[in-house]
Amino acid sequence: MQQQLNELSQLKEAARGGPSERATEVQHEKGKLTARERIDLLLDKGSFNEVEPLRRHRASGFGLESKKPYTDGVVTGWGTVHGRTVFVYAHDFRIFGGALGEAHAQKIHKVMDLAEAAGAPLVSLNDGAGARIQEGVLALAGYGGIFQRNTRSSGVIPQISVMLGPCAGGAAYSPALTDFVFMVRDTSQMFITGPDVVRAVTGEEITQNALGGADVHASVSGVAHFPYDDEETCLEDVRFLLSLLPSNNRELPPVVRTDDPADRTTEALLDIVPTESGRSYDVRAVIEEIVDDGECFEVHPAWATNLVCALTRLDGQVVGIVANNPGSMAGVLDIEASEKGARFVQWCDAFNVPLVTLVDVPGFLPGVDQEHNGIIRRGAKLLYAYCNATVPRISLVLRKAYGGAYIVMDSRSIGADLALAWPGNEIAVMGAEGAANVIFRREIAAADDPEAVRQQKIKEYKAELMHPYYAAERGLVDDVIDPRDTRKILIRSLAMLHAKHADVPCRKHGNPPQ
């Protein structure tokens, strides 16, 4: 038995060590950690349990029969993050460049099935060169199995993709199916066709980072949610995000104790938000003033900055905040903001995270590009997401809320459980200036002093239809509140809605706008 144990120890040590010291050195020279070093940073110390460490491929041809390293280029298993179970797989770029073959894929399938069965989050640490060409269609079928499992687990367990190297073709599609994508600048890229193919087909010259680097996907395409300068900081924030997430869709997010008083007044809000509807401000300052200890985790902070989406806590309870940001594009809703908000609302609803919506929106962005690129179809995604959501929903109008954008931003009419407003709110079909120009255009045009008449009509319209209590008088706002009581009222309201249950029609699934 001792001889057998010694042999087992040697085999496992060979699997843990990887192909060679030189291969490890090359990985480090590129500014990248090894798969096991990454897992050690992600998981609680000593908690990792590896699955199939001795797996080897059985392919032959093209020299593969003489190269059968243990793990087959992917490390799989489970451990804990802050004491809670998390499943993980990590490509080992030192072995076949992390390329996916049949055995490699089957190991990933195994850990994905385990994550779903155990009801625990799945984190993928991606650093792979795509399909293993030498294994042909078997490699492609392996990707198909991953995609099918990504989809089956969507809305069931949280799925997080961490991009830590170049990922092309099929390797980029699995992350696109997951809930959150992290990327590291300079060392990670995502694209369907790389620079060489782009050059051959279109004649365009472009680098890997310019085509699919972290900043491109974080600010232009919206594929990546979080960009980082180094792997250590990236993985630290993955751990923080996991602390905010439930393990699965049958659980509530974890609650933490806070020393921030639930009844704390928020005096600073009186100065942060200007009373003039046309003046800008950063809504993130409002969020930080309201939430526990001013701490929140913004999703997509560099993309569609006119809408802020963030995970945070109120009295220790996790909530999702969606807020128009007048500091960017006046807080208007456009295609990208609508899609960003829709995806976030859907995720919160899937994982039992209550929604708080802070409204200060002048409308949808007008323009030929917006119309031709489908603002109707794509803006409807946000509307659909809110209408479909059954978690507790509270909307708060901070200042203005005009037109269809007011309806879309979780108004009472589309199902918000509570609709609140500050005393300076303006809820109307459009701004007073535009409304007066439409309603009284003939009277203004016929006047001896058109501008004086126009100003008079603007005042009349504001007094009649845009005063702060117009919506409240008609039951479309449940209460007009003192801004200083915002935190206290939100916490009390969420506590009241904690056990909310909503019956939904029996259906296979809806057909959301695409």
Side-chain angles (χ1 to χ4, degrees), residues 3-329:
Q3 183 179 350
Q4 292 172 341
L5 290 176
N6 290 339
E7 182 182 6
L8 175 62
S9 177
Q10 291 172 6
L11 289 175
K12 289 199 170 182
E13 185 60 33
R16 285 191 292 267
S20 68
E21 290 185 8
R22 179 54 189 158
T24 301
E25 290 173 2
V26 170
Q27 184 81 344
H28 289 164
E29 287 168 1
K30 294 177 180 177
K32 302 196 296 183
L33 301 175
T34 65
R36 294 181 187 277
E37 289 170 339
R38 291 162 174 166
I39 289 174
D40 287 343
L41 285 174
L42 173 68
L43 300 178
D44 297 337
K45 186 176 180 180
S47 69
F48 182 53
N49 300 272
E50 190 168 355
V51 175
E52 297 189 2
L54 303 181
R55 187 69 180 266
R56 304 165 85 177
H57 73 76
R58 55 187 177 183
S60 60
F62 305 102
L64 285 179
E65 62 276 1
S66 62
K67 298 178 182 178
K68 294 189 175 183
Y70 293 115
T71 74
D72 200 46
V74 63
V75 181
T76 59
W78 80 92
T80 61
V81 173
H82 303 300
R84 299 163 65 222
T85 300
V86 172
F87 287 80
V88 61
Y89 67 86
H91 298 132
D92 191 341
F93 196 81
R94 300 171 302 168
I95 298 175
F96 300 129
L100 181 138
E102 180 187 29
H104 182 122
Q106 288 174 351
K107 288 184 65 176
I108 295 175
H109 296 169
K110 172 71 173 180
V111 79
M112 294 180 80
D113 290 341
L114 283 172
E116 182 182 352
L122 174 70
V123 179
S124 63
L125 306 179
N126 299 274
D127 187 6
R132 195 174 299 170
I133 299 172
Q134 299 95 319
E135 295 196 32
V137 71
L138 290 176
L140 297 179
Y143 270 126
I146 294 172
F147 302 157
Q148 192 267 343
R149 287 167 172 82
N150 283 139
T151 304
R152 191 175 68 202
S153 293
S154 180
V156 178
I157 57 171
Q159 300 180 78
I160 298 173
S161 297
V162 188
M163 316 309 294
L164 300 166
C167 296
Y173 269 125
S174 175
L177 292 170
T178 60
D179 299 307
F180 300 103
V181 177
F182 290 72
M183 290 189 74
V184 176
R185 294 183 177 94
D186 298 327
T187 59
S188 67
Q189 299 88 28
M190 296 173 68
F191 33 69
I192 300 303
T193 57
D196 292 341
V197 177
V198 170
R199 184 185 309 110
V201 175
T202 70
E204 297 174 281
E205 294 284 347
I206 193 166
T207 65
Q208 285 194 346
N209 276 322
L211 180 63
D215 286 320
V216 169
H217 285 311
S219 62
V220 180
S221 72
V223 171
H225 299 78
F226 313 102
Y228 294 89
D229 290 327
D230 58 80
E231 295 189 15
E232 292 83 358
T233 306
C234 176
L235 292 170
E236 183 180 345
D237 267 7
V238 175
R239 286 176 57 86
F240 180 69
L241 175 60
L242 285 166
S243 74
L244 295 166
L245 310 184
S247 291
N248 56 65
N249 65 347
R250 301 183 302 277
E251 297 182 4
L252 295 175
V255 180
V256 299
R257 293 184 62 182
T258 178
D259 294 327
D260 195 346
D263 59 353
R264 170 171 59 82
T265 57
T266 50
E267 294 282 348
L269 293 180
L270 301 181
D271 298 319
I272 292 173
V273 180
T275 55
E276 301 90 338
S277 62
R279 288 182 58 192
S280 69
Y281 64 94
D282 192 336
V283 78
R284 285 171 291 198
V286 175
I287 296 171
E288 290 171 4
E289 181 64 24
I290 294 170
V291 302
D292 292 354
D293 304 309
E295 186 176 66
C296 65
F297 195 61
E298 188 175 351
V299 178
H300 274 312
W303 182 60
T305 54
N306 42 323
L307 190 77
V308 172
C309 298
L311 289 169
T312 185
R313 283 189 167 94
L314 282 168
D315 199 29
Q317 306 278 348
V318 176
V319 298
I321 291 186
V322 181
N324 306 112
N325 186 15
S328 176
M329 299 172 61

Side-chain angles (χ1 to χ4, degrees), residues 377-398:
R377 168 176 57 84
R378 295 159 79 177
K381 293 182 182 182
L382 181 56
L383 177 61
Y384 187 98
Y386 269 124
C387 290
N388 203 45
T390 60
V391 292
R393 292 157 48 190
I394 301 172
S395 66
L396 170 62
V397 178
L398 304 182

Side-chain angles (χ1 to χ4, degrees), residues 360-383:
D360 191 346
V361 62
F364 281 94
L365 180 65
V368 174
D369 286 345
Q370 288 288 305
E371 297 293 345
H372 287 185
N373 287 314
I375 184 62
I376 297 173
R377 168 176 57 84
R378 295 159 79 177
K381 293 182 182 182
L382 181 56
L383 177 61

